[in-house]
Amino acid sequence: TWLSHSHPLKIDLSLASSKYANTSPIYQLSSAVAYGLNDSADWLQIRGYAINNLTPSEALGLSSIHAIETKITHFLDRTSKWLPTSITVGLDRGKRIYWVDMASQAVNNQPMVNEGGENITAAWQLNTQTHLTLQLSQTRYYAESVAAHRFKLGSLSTQLAFAW
């Protein structure tokens, strides 16, 4: 990750390699650019994924796939402790299978194709050491376990983080 010290700009490039039973190594190349607007009160981030060398018999017939994530974050001037510090809206498009979320380091190794989704996140800085995050998301999947089917996974999650 490269972060400019003179402009509201961040550039990220990552490579992941995964190996599963009955497959060749799977390679994921991911790149992102984020840019601050309105004196950095708003940030636009776009991340692309290219996942290659998939074994079609283990990846629902796919040999390579592409996806893109777009996030817009707005940092709020807090006039009340009840207002969030930031709100982020995200859109995911394209397909991903056997992918690595580089931000969270989560490995998605289920034989299901992520076909995109939408999410919204609100974050509160409760004090200098405590943050609260609330996220609502919906993601579309395709799977062939038992029978071919598409489904949506909706979730509401919260996280309370403490720094000490």
Side-chain angles (χ1 to χ4, degrees):
T1 300
W2 175 78
L3 183 61
S4 173
H5 295 287
S6 58
H7 301 287
L9 177 66
K10 179 180 105 170
I11 297 174
D12 178 76
L13 183 64
S14 59
L15 175 68
S17 175
S18 304
K19 179 76 172 98
Y20 301 98
N22 305 319
T23 70
S24 300
I26 299 168
Y27 301 108
Q28 173 184 300
L29 179 63
S30 174
S31 61
V33 62
Y35 191 76
L37 307 163
N38 301 324
D39 292 325
S40 296
D42 300 301
W43 278 83
L44 172 64
Q45 176 179 304
I46 300 171
R47 176 176 298 280
Y49 291 88
I51 303 170
N52 297 298
N53 207 35
L54 294 165
T55 302
S57 63
E58 300 293 326
L60 303 174
L62 300 168
S63 59
S64 67
I65 50 178
H66 300 86
I68 190 166
E69 291 177 354
T70 304
K71 293 181 183 178
I72 299 172
T73 300
H74 178 69
F75 293 93
L76 297 139
D77 291 327
R78 291 187 51 182
T79 55
S80 165
K81 65 180 180 180
W82 300 107
L83 287 177
T85 309
S86 66
I87 296 175
T88 301
V89 175
L91 296 173
D92 300 341
R93 296 296 180 255
K95 295 181 179 184
R96 291 180 281 195
I97 189 169
Y98 298 117
W99 62 285
V100 179
D101 182 330
M102 298 308 281
S104 68
Q105 294 295 293
V107 177
N108 297 276
N109 58 5
Q110 298 297 314
M112 298 183 289
V113 177
N114 175 317
E115 296 184 319
E118 301 78 34
N119 59 72
I120 186 166
T121 304
W124 289 263
Q125 182 171 346
L126 303 178
N127 59 45
T128 58
Q129 296 178 304
T130 309
H131 294 82
L132 173 68
T133 304
L134 182 67
Q135 182 178 47
L136 177 64
S137 66
Q138 177 176 276
T139 307
R140 290 173 296 285
Y141 288 95
Y142 173 76
E144 291 184 353
S145 59
V146 182
H149 63 286
R150 285 189 159 72
F151 64 96
K152 293 180 182 177
L153 173 63
S155 65
L156 174 63
S157 63
T158 186
Q159 178 184 39
L160 187 59
F162 300 95
W164 64 86

